[in-house]
Amino acid sequence: MHLALFCIFGALCVAGALNLLLQRHPINSALSLIVVMSSLAVLYLLLGAEFLAAAQVIVYSGAIMVLFTFVIMLLNAGREQRTHGSKMAWVLGFPGAAVLLALLADIFITHSGDFHRVQAGEYVVNTAMLSGVLFRDLLLPFEVTSILILIAILGAVALARKEH
Amino acid sequence: METSLLTFLIVNLIKIVVVVVILLMEVAYTVLLERKLVGRIQNRWGPSRVGPFGLLQPLADGAKLFLKEDLMPLAVERPLYVIAPMIALGCALTSIAVIPFGANIQWHGVDLFQISDVSIGLLILLGITSIGVYGIALSGWSSNNKYSLLGALRASAQVISYELALGLALVGVIMRAGSLRLRDIVNVQTGHSVLAFLHWNFFGGFQFVAFFVYLMAAYAETNRSPFDLPEAESELTAGYHTEYSSMKFAMFFMAEYANMITVGCVATLLFFGGWTSPFGHFLSGSGPISIALFSVFWFVAKVFGFLFLYIWVRGTLPRFRYDQLMGFGWKFLVPVAIANIVVTGLWMGLSLPAR
């Protein structure tokens, strides 16, 4: 059951990501991104992170992607021209990606014993446990992160303010 | 009792079909209720010709919408234009799945009065609402019509802004219940005396501030008057569904009324004790069958009260101006909701013994 769900939503996620790159109209790309985000939420749910899954849908698929589509609609962006891409991407990009993949694969294979294996659906982190970790054990890093985000908001307001 | 997979599947399928059919009937008759009540508010009769008291009017409306020509304008973005009403209606119908509408009565190990009892039920409701915006946003954009686009832009901006106030208003209730499961939230509010309604979050929990924030945010979230700017007839013809006809138009309409019903259900569950009797054991039944009937009766009565309030507000209040709407959401509702969280936190911290 869990394996079947993982396969379906994993495939949906990859298909959405490919469609995001291949579509020529920005709004179709944005919609594929929504599919990617939502199927990621299902994958989180399979791993037992129920709050993270709900937050992923509410924050990413809901709020942030609505803003994306909002901006695309406002700018009335048209179809993109299909190009061959930049030369740098061909020369550096593919070898770079291959090297990164090889490195990661090497690390994962040699150190596979050190990682904890997580099986889908065997363990559920409920919201109360999560809040215990966030607001008791890791309270200081959590609050510092929120101040960091507050500073980013202040920066955006300062940039957006009109000069008087 | 352990249930086999087959019974589980069959009972759940039956439950889903029954709930969807009842919800759609309820949607149809809410439309009739609205036309009748608004008619009375405006000193006229409302529909009265089809059937006794106009009771068959929804059937006539449905038949009319089915038989109308389904126009497909040439300049629309084809797949999105067709998908948009489906997203709107699909999300509106999905959100009813987590709502418990009666006491927890098990039959062969399956909960009879709830499709699925999810531990993060409230968050799932919020998630589905936030996905539902795409129905409106995409319909407006893909129609290739300036009125539709303006309506869609208004709708998405409004829904994002008020979603914040909506979510913050619910935090106080969640803090009191200590759970996101809707059944737990209701169980916190049950009392046994004749004055059991004093245990409701609205009275006993001192959450009436949260309730008013929730109510106003919910009106905006469902695009209902006085926040119905996305479909303001006087400025935008019909807003985001200008180009839609026949069943596609009907799907938007059904989605709006289904959302109204969902919002009424959530308000009932969170602030008014859900399916429990307001008078404790009085009028709550004794045998399993009478308990089931009474719990559903109280739930439906409370939700009906909300639908009545919705229509009453629509018949009474004029529409907001757009800048007033945004200012009200961001400068009034959000700070009030945050203050409510702080006050609830202080109240709980001071009244509960230190753990």
Side-chain angles (χ1 to χ4, degrees):
Chain A
M1 181 75 176
H2 289 294
L3 185 68
L5 283 175
F6 177 80
C7 288
I8 293 170
F9 284 97
L12 198 62
C13 193
V14 173
L18 285 177
N19 196 36
L20 162 75
L21 294 174
L22 294 177
Q23 284 291 333
R24 281 168 64 199
H25 206 293
I27 203 129
N28 292 341
S29 298
L31 292 178
S32 329
L33 192 53
I34 298 168
V35 173
V36 174
M37 303 265 191
S38 307
S39 33
L40 270 182
V42 179
L43 294 186
Y44 292 152
L45 201 58
L46 283 174
L47 290 173
E50 51 174 31
F51 183 79
L52 189 61
Q56 168 89 5
V57 172
I58 295 172
V59 176
Y60 285 94
S61 324
I64 289 181
M65 288 315 296
V66 167
L67 282 180
F68 268 53
T69 47
F70 193 82
V71 170
I72 292 170
M73 285 175 191
L74 267 185
L75 296 179
N76 205 7
R79 276 174 198 286
E80 287 173 349
Q81 293 289 316
R82 206 176 273 287
T83 63
H84 290 290
S86 68
K87 239 177 210 149
M88 288 295 272
W90 286 96
V91 175
L92 291 179
F94 285 103
V99 167
L100 193 66
L101 195 68
L103 265 177
L104 283 176
D106 183 53
I107 292 171
F108 281 130
I109 290 168
T110 49
H111 294 271
S112 61
D114 302 343
F115 297 116
H116 291 289
R117 290 270 171 83
V118 179
Q119 265 199 336
E122 68 173 7
Y123 183 66
V124 173
V125 181
N126 65 28
T127 316
M129 287 153 76
L130 183 70
S131 61
V133 171
L134 270 188
F135 293 108
R136 197 184 304 131
D137 307 346
L138 298 175
L139 182 63
L140 186 67
F142 181 78
E143 294 297 334
V144 171
T145 316
S146 58
I147 288 175
L148 198 66
I149 296 171
L150 186 69
I151 292 171
I153 296 173
L154 287 180
V157 170
L159 283 177
R161 246 180 79 180
K162 286 194 189 108
E163 294 291 329
H164 287 296
Chain B
M1 200 194 320
E2 194 66 29
T3 41
S4 69
L5 190 65
L6 194 66
T7 5
F8 178 79
L9 277 180
I10 292 174
V11 174
N12 270 302
L13 265 180
I14 295 173
K15 262 195 315 194
I16 291 170
V17 170
V18 168
V19 167
V20 167
V21 167
I22 290 180
L23 183 66
L24 289 178
M25 289 301 287
E26 216 175 311
V27 164
Y29 277 91
T30 311
V31 176
L32 178 71
L33 179 77
E34 168 150 32
R35 292 176 65 183
K36 278 285 206 190
L37 280 177
V38 170
R40 290 306 177 103
I41 289 170
Q42 294 164 354
N43 208 3
R44 57 190 171 80
W45 282 102
S48 60
R49 296 300 169 94
V50 192
F53 309 106
L55 277 178
L56 297 179
Q57 185 70 40
L59 295 179
D61 283 348
K64 183 196 80 173
L65 283 165
F66 256 116
L67 296 175
K68 274 200 167 180
E69 187 189 355
D70 192 8
L71 293 172
M72 179 71 82
L74 281 176
V76 298
E77 287 282 323
R78 204 40 192 283
L80 294 182
Y81 179 81
V82 180
I83 292 172
M86 296 180 192
I87 297 178
L89 185 61
C91 288
L93 293 184
T94 314
S95 50
I96 208 81
V98 292
I99 286 177
F101 38 84
N104 190 356
I105 291 174
Q106 306 271 334
W107 185 76
H108 284 275
V110 182
D111 194 345
L112 276 188
F113 291 118
Q114 188 177 19
I115 292 180
S116 63
D117 191 11
V118 194
S119 57
I120 46 168
L122 201 54
L123 288 180
I124 286 194
L125 273 174
L126 287 179
I128 294 172
T129 332
S130 60
I131 296 288
V133 193
Y134 290 112
I136 295 175
L138 290 178
S139 69
W141 181 80
S142 64
S143 294
N144 207 355
N145 172 328
K146 60 185 170 190
Y147 296 125
S148 302
L149 183 65
L150 280 173
L153 289 179
R154 283 182 178 188
S156 9
Q158 172 180 329
V159 171
I160 295 177
S161 311
Y162 278 79
E163 207 168 68
L164 211 63
L166 188 85
L168 288 173
L170 301 181
V171 173
V173 175
I174 299 168
M175 280 161 73
R176 271 179 56 80
S179 169
L180 292 163
R181 189 193 297 267
L182 290 165
R183 284 209 183 272
D184 291 349
I185 294 176
V186 172
N187 288 337
V188 168
Q189 306 172 51
T190 47
H192 299 297
S193 65
V194 183
L195 295 176
F197 60 87
L198 289 178
H199 288 275
W200 288 354
N201 272 332
F202 181 72
F203 300 107
F206 207 61
Q207 290 295 325
F208 59 87
V209 181
F211 172 68
F212 283 113
V213 174
Y214 171 79
L215 196 65
M216 284 181 263
Y219 280 10
E221 199 81 355
T222 46
N223 295 324
R224 290 283 302 181
S225 175
F227 302 102
D228 58 348
L229 285 128
E231 39 191 309
E233 311 90 330
S234 50
E235 345 170 356
L236 295 181
T237 334
Y240 56 89
H241 51 61
T242 307
E243 296 286 348
Y244 283 88
S245 57
S246 182
M247 276 319 278
K248 293 207 192 73
F249 168 75
M251 280 162 100
F252 279 119
F253 222 70
M254 278 145 69
E256 180 178 328
Y257 282 86
N259 277 330
M260 265 169 76
I261 293 170
T262 312
V263 161
C265 293
V266 174
T268 305
L269 292 168
L270 295 190
F271 298 100
F272 289 90
W275 61 85
T276 55
S277 161
F279 311 111
H281 287 313
F282 182 59
L283 287 184
S284 63
S286 46
I289 294 175
S290 74
I291 286 180
L293 287 178
F294 267 111
S295 65
V296 172
F297 165 75
W298 284 117
F299 188 76
V300 170
K302 287 168 187 174
V303 173
F304 178 79
F306 275 100
L307 293 179
F308 184 79
L309 186 68
Y310 252 107
I311 296 163
W312 189 6
V313 165
R314 183 194 162 178
T316 322
L317 292 181
R319 195 174 284 141
F320 271 73
R321 214 173 55 215
Y322 195 67
D323 56 325
Q324 289 173 334
L325 173 105
M326 281 296 165
F328 183 69
W330 285 104
K331 292 183 190 154
F332 179 72
L333 286 186
V334 171
V336 168
I338 292 176
N340 175 58
I341 296 174
V342 174
V343 171
T344 312
L346 283 176
W347 174 289
M348 287 176 63
L350 294 177
S351 63
L352 292 178
R355 267 174 281 182

